[in-house]
Amino acid sequence: MKPIVVAENLSKQYQIGEKQAHYASLRESITGAVRSPLKRLRKRAHSTERTVWALRNVSFEVEPGEAVGIIGRNGAGKSTLLKILSRITLPTSGSADLYGRFGSLLEVGTGFHPELTGRENIHLNGAILGMKRREIDRKFDEIVAFAETEKFLDTQVKYYSSGMHMRLAFAVAAHLEPEILVVDEVLAVGDANFQKKCLGRMGEVAKEGRTVLFVSHNMTAVQSMCERAIWLHDGELLEDGPPGQVVSNYLSTSFSTTTEQKWAEAETAPGNGLVRLRSTRVRPENGTHSDPITVRTPFVIEFEYDNLHSNSVLHPSIMLFDEEGTLVFHSGPSREPVWNGHPFPIGRFHSECHVPGDLLNDGAHRVRLSVIKDFRELLFRYDDVLSFDVREAAEERKHGYAKVPGAVRPRLDWQTKIVEEHGELRSQLDNDSAE
């Protein structure tokens, strides 16, 4: 099958602080022609120092019907790549060929004219995408319903909010049946329901056999919607492969662990006049904070804090998030046998949460700590108070297992037994084995 997108050695260089072109007069041109060669060389050297490569020798192919996620940190070259594929900008070197009609959504309202109404812009965008009028008319009601802009359809787009702009722009790009749909992280401006709706629509486009190129910082969306991921780093293609593997490698490089924190002085400790955090750590149940934690390891999350107000019923709790920002679990001391539900005197307290082994999946994890007073008043909250990596166990690696999906990875007991053995089936199996 012939690829629908082919990028070969794509490179893009930008001039930092580059000014708009200046059209010189005849006198300036003559003067410039006789300028000192040494001065020109100095200017060229200075110009070279003020350039940056947004992309460097990026090559890949995309087959028809593939949904490909493009990930990387800010400034990695993701948006530059999409702009080259969308013919918004030209590469400095290399080539990018697309063999099919494409629709792109790189910025809010791309291709919309602010003086035209929503209705007029739907037809304008459709024409730009190469659609015939009857094709646009056939999809028109579906586009408007998806965008939820019926009341403002005959209002000029310049009066639309950014959210309305986004809904209409995405609806047009996704419903006018492009063979290649290119979407940047622009969806982040929408509300949660709209983002979910858009992701669902992109999933439908991919299932219909059309190609999707999706730039996002939402790793959950990339893994759920895409069958392949491309990781860009400093303008270079670092990895191209299954999304679970690529996302895991990307997150592990951008993750720094904090397995212990201490505050010697109360004045600098996080907290307030009611409670102050003095130390926190995560460690294996029979180890220290510097020891590794694997998927098989029971571990402890512990913290010390000063209660500065007498007779407060304190309720410390933690929320554990995985590398994709998914909440794995929330836990409080509801089963703590001594102090749960009782007033705390002024003093320093030590709390521990014991987490069993064979529960978490491998990958990066972060802890959020909260302290509640009298079960209703939030006294203190510390996001990412701890961050640690759960590693694959050695006994699991020797089986060659790939990254297991899911926020948790419990080892559950299974049992299988035969209910009834059929003689004829057994004889057939024996015969097949003999052959």
Side-chain angles (χ1 to χ4, degrees):
M1 184 182 295
K2 183 178 179 181
I4 197 168
V5 178
V6 179
E8 293 185 357
N9 298 316
L10 273 182
S11 297
K12 180 65 178 179
Q13 186 184 54
Y14 286 107
Q15 187 82 24
I16 300 175
E18 187 175 13
K19 296 181 179 180
Q20 295 294 325
H22 169 66
Y23 297 96
S25 65
L26 177 61
R27 180 177 178 178
E28 290 172 330
S29 299
I30 296 173
T31 303
V34 296
R35 181 179 298 167
S36 165
L38 181 58
K39 190 173 183 179
R40 285 201 298 257
L41 285 173
R42 287 175 178 171
K43 182 178 180 181
R44 185 178 303 170
H46 178 69
S47 174
T48 302
E49 294 174 358
R50 296 179 60 81
T51 60
V52 61
W53 287 94
L55 290 177
R56 193 187 296 270
N57 299 322
V58 173
S59 299
F60 62 90
E61 295 182 353
V62 180
E63 299 295 329
E66 271 194 300
V68 180
I70 302 174
I71 64 174
R73 297 181 180 180
N74 291 332
K78 306 183 299 297
S79 295
T80 299
L81 173 61
L82 294 195
K83 287 178 180 179
I84 291 175
L85 296 178
S86 301
R87 303 295 191 262
I88 294 174
T89 187
L90 295 174
T92 303
S93 61
S95 63
D97 297 315
L98 283 75
Y99 300 96
R101 183 169 56 200
F102 72 92
S104 63
L105 188 58
L106 307 185
E107 296 177 6
V108 176
T110 300
F112 275 33
H113 195 295
E115 299 296 331
L116 299 180
T117 66
R119 183 187 303 276
E120 293 165 336
N121 270 298
I122 292 175
H123 284 89
L124 174 63
N125 247 238
I128 292 173
L129 288 173
M131 305 294 291
K132 296 181 180 179
R133 185 178 184 86
R134 63 175 177 273
E135 293 180 276
I136 300 172
D137 291 339
R138 179 167 54 86
K139 287 282 185 178
F140 188 86
D141 291 341
E142 190 176 344
I143 293 169
V144 174
F146 186 94
E148 300 174 2
T149 56
E150 294 93 336
K151 295 181 180 179
F152 310 99
L153 198 57
D154 295 307
T155 301
Q156 290 174 301
V157 166
K158 65 181 180 182
Y159 297 116
Y160 282 21
S161 67
S162 60
M164 292 167 61
H165 234 127
M166 167 52 54
R167 292 200 299 270
L168 190 59
F170 183 87
V172 173
H175 285 81
L176 290 182
E177 299 182 351
E179 293 166 288
I180 306 168
L181 178 61
V182 179
V183 184
D184 203 345
E185 185 65 284
V186 68
L187 297 182
V189 305
D191 57 37
N193 288 334
F194 176 67
Q195 290 183 39
K196 183 177 180 180
K197 194 174 182 180
C198 291
L199 291 172
R201 178 57 191 167
M202 284 192 291
E204 292 174 8
V205 170
K207 290 177 182 178
E208 291 168 2
R210 286 178 273 158
T211 303
V212 177
L213 300 179
F214 178 42
V215 164
S216 180
H217 291 287
N218 185 335
M219 298 299 107
T220 302
V222 169
Q223 292 189 86
S224 63
M225 195 190 77
C226 301
E227 57 206 47
R228 176 181 163 199
I230 292 175
W231 174 14
L232 295 180
H233 179 73
D234 289 341
E236 298 182 353
L237 197 158
L238 211 59
E239 189 174 1
D240 182 350
Q245 170 188 314
V246 176
V247 166
S248 180
N249 292 339
Y250 162 66
L251 291 173
S252 66
T253 61
S254 59
F255 180 79
S256 59
T257 60
T258 304
T259 56
E260 183 180 49
Q261 292 199 76
K262 293 181 178 180
W263 295 271
E265 304 296 332
E267 295 77 14
T268 59
N272 49 46
L274 298 175
V275 63
R276 291 277 180 185
L277 182 63
R278 302 308 299 271
S279 69
T280 181
R281 68 187 57 83
V282 56
R283 60 174 178 81
E285 207 160 63
N286 297 312
T288 69
H289 71 93
S290 59
D291 293 333
I293 297 174
T294 76
V295 293
R296 307 294 302 276
T297 307
F299 64 92
V300 181
I301 299 172
E302 55 185 8
F303 43 93
E304 289 189 356
Y305 50 100
D306 291 339
N307 176 44
L308 305 176
H309 190 272
S310 61
N311 297 321
S312 295
V313 177
L314 298 186
H315 187 84
S317 65
I318 60 169
M319 299 178 79
L320 184 72
F321 298 87
D322 67 10
E323 59 191 16
E324 298 170 14
T326 301
L327 176 62
V328 179
F329 66 74
H330 169 268
S331 182
S334 58
R335 298 175 62 186
E336 199 281 324
V338 179
W339 288 102
N340 181 49
H342 297 286
F344 280 44
I346 295 176
R348 183 165 299 180
F349 289 81
H350 179 97
S351 294
E352 295 182 355
C353 175
H354 292 257
V355 182
D358 296 319
L359 173 65
L360 300 184
N361 206 344
D362 61 306
H365 291 78
R366 292 181 171 86
V367 178
R368 174 190 295 172
L369 170 65
S370 300
V371 179
I372 309 294
K373 176 186 175 183
D374 300 330
F375 297 98
R376 63 178 183 273
E377 180 185 353
L378 177 64
L379 296 183
F380 172 71
R381 168 176 155 179
Y382 195 138
D383 291 342
D384 298 342
V385 65
L386 292 169
S387 53
F388 61 98
D389 193 48
V390 177
R391 304 179 185 178
E392 182 64 272
E395 58 267 36
E396 298 288 351
R397 278 199 299 270
K398 67 183 180 183
H399 295 295
Y401 291 158
K403 172 74 174 180
V404 178
V408 294
R409 186 172 150 184
R411 291 172 66 89
L412 305 177
D413 292 332
W414 281 60
Q415 187 178 33
T416 302
K417 61 181 180 180
I418 186 168
V419 177
E420 182 179 355
E421 183 175 0
H422 292 280
E424 292 182 5
L425 177 60
R426 182 65 187 175
S427 299
Q428 182 62 44
L429 291 175
D430 292 339
N431 292 335
D432 291 343
S433 299
E435 293 176 1

